[in-house]
Amino acid sequence: MRRLKITAALIFVVGVLLLSAGIALYSEESIEKISSTKIGEINTKNISASASMAFKNNDNSSSTKEDSHNSSNNILTEINMKTSKASVIIPPRVEVFDSLTMEELAEKLNRNLGNDYIAGKGYLIATECLARGVDPYIAVAIMLHETGCKSTCSSLARTCNNVGGQKGSPGCNGGSYKAFATLDEGIIGFISNLENNYFKVGLTTIDTIGPRYAESTTWPQKIHWYVDQIRAS
């Protein structure tokens, strides 16, 4: 009987121990599951946070790149504008006569050549006169007086291209006044005559040219009048 009691007690104790062990194992398993779940949640949160930060950083990086790109574009635009401005070279003003450029002088002469036969020859007259050392105002004044082209050019100018009343051969229509094949030849021949027979020998003013160029004593006065008109135009 006593042995039975002892055996029952031992079985009870063993049962309690086994039950305790089972509870402990269950608790440990639960703890592991809970811990694993918590860690998973924490990791998920960390991953989400990292992804969010990465996304924000990527946005910031894109924004920075865009700002940098825009800044580069602005700098390039500014450089291009400066280069464009620097590449525009304005040539210096070159005055050739009476504070005028060649173009201005030619236009001034054209304004005085009328609308008839010698109209528009200002540039040819200007270049020839300056190349030969002849005053272009005096040359045009003599042409206007000798040809009448301020209104209507004479037949000598129209028929034989003689713009200065020059004499010589070949004669125009067999006369004593010289004939030229073209108007340009007539203008160049006239200016060449002023160069060689007047300006080169020191006759460079209207008053010194007059006595040799024409018999009329009023000729210088008339040429002065034309020159004043040309200069004022």
Side-chain angles (χ1 to χ4, degrees), residues 18-223:
L18 289 171
L19 182 61
S20 298
I23 292 169
L25 285 171
Y26 177 80
S27 298
E28 186 177 351
E29 221 174 9
S30 298
I31 290 168
E32 284 179 2
K33 286 182 179 179
I34 293 167
S35 298
S36 177
T37 302
K38 292 291 183 184
I39 289 169
E41 289 177 0
I42 292 168
N43 287 338
T44 301
K45 288 180 179 178
N46 288 338
I47 290 168
S48 297
S50 298
S52 178
M53 287 294 292
F55 184 77
K56 287 181 179 178
N57 288 337
N58 187 51
D59 276 351
N60 290 336
S61 175
S62 298
S63 177
T64 302
K65 286 179 181 177
E66 187 176 353
D67 290 342
S68 176
H69 180 69
N70 289 337
S71 178
S72 298
N73 281 342
N74 290 337
I75 291 170
L76 287 172
T77 300
E78 186 176 351
I79 290 171
N80 287 334
M81 288 177 68
K82 287 181 178 178
T83 304
S84 178
K85 288 179 181 178
S87 65
V88 178
I89 300 173
I90 300 174
R93 178 182 173 82
V94 179
E95 296 176 353
V96 295
F97 182 81
D98 197 24
S99 300
L100 302 171
T101 65
M102 180 64 78
E103 289 71 19
E104 291 168 342
L105 175 60
E107 289 174 6
K108 193 180 189 75
L109 298 182
N110 278 330
R111 287 195 294 270
N112 288 274
L113 291 174
N115 299 313
D116 204 351
Y117 194 60
I118 61 173
K121 293 296 182 177
Y123 194 84
L124 174 63
I125 296 168
T127 53
E128 285 295 320
C129 283
L130 296 180
R132 297 172 182 274
V134 174
D135 186 318
Y137 291 173
I138 293 177
V140 170
I142 294 172
M143 287 175 62
L144 293 175
H145 175 69
E146 296 294 334
T147 62
C149 287
K150 189 72 173 176
S151 54
T152 303
C153 292
S154 67
S155 60
L156 179 63
R158 290 174 176 281
T159 305
C160 297
N161 299 305
N162 189 324
V163 296
Q166 295 168 254
K167 293 183 178 182
S169 59
C172 178
N173 297 324
S176 59
Y177 289 98
K178 188 173 182 177
F180 295 90
T182 66
L183 178 59
D184 285 2
E185 287 184 20
I187 291 172
I188 293 170
F190 161 66
I191 296 171
S192 176
N193 176 51
L194 286 178
E195 174 195 11
N196 294 319
N197 296 314
Y198 296 89
F199 281 81
K200 272 189 175 181
V201 296
L203 305 177
T204 59
T205 65
I206 295 171
D207 292 327
T208 56
I209 292 171
R212 186 171 183 175
Y213 200 97
E215 295 177 0
S216 172
T217 56
T218 60
W219 188 90
Q221 181 182 348
K222 293 174 181 178
I223 302 303

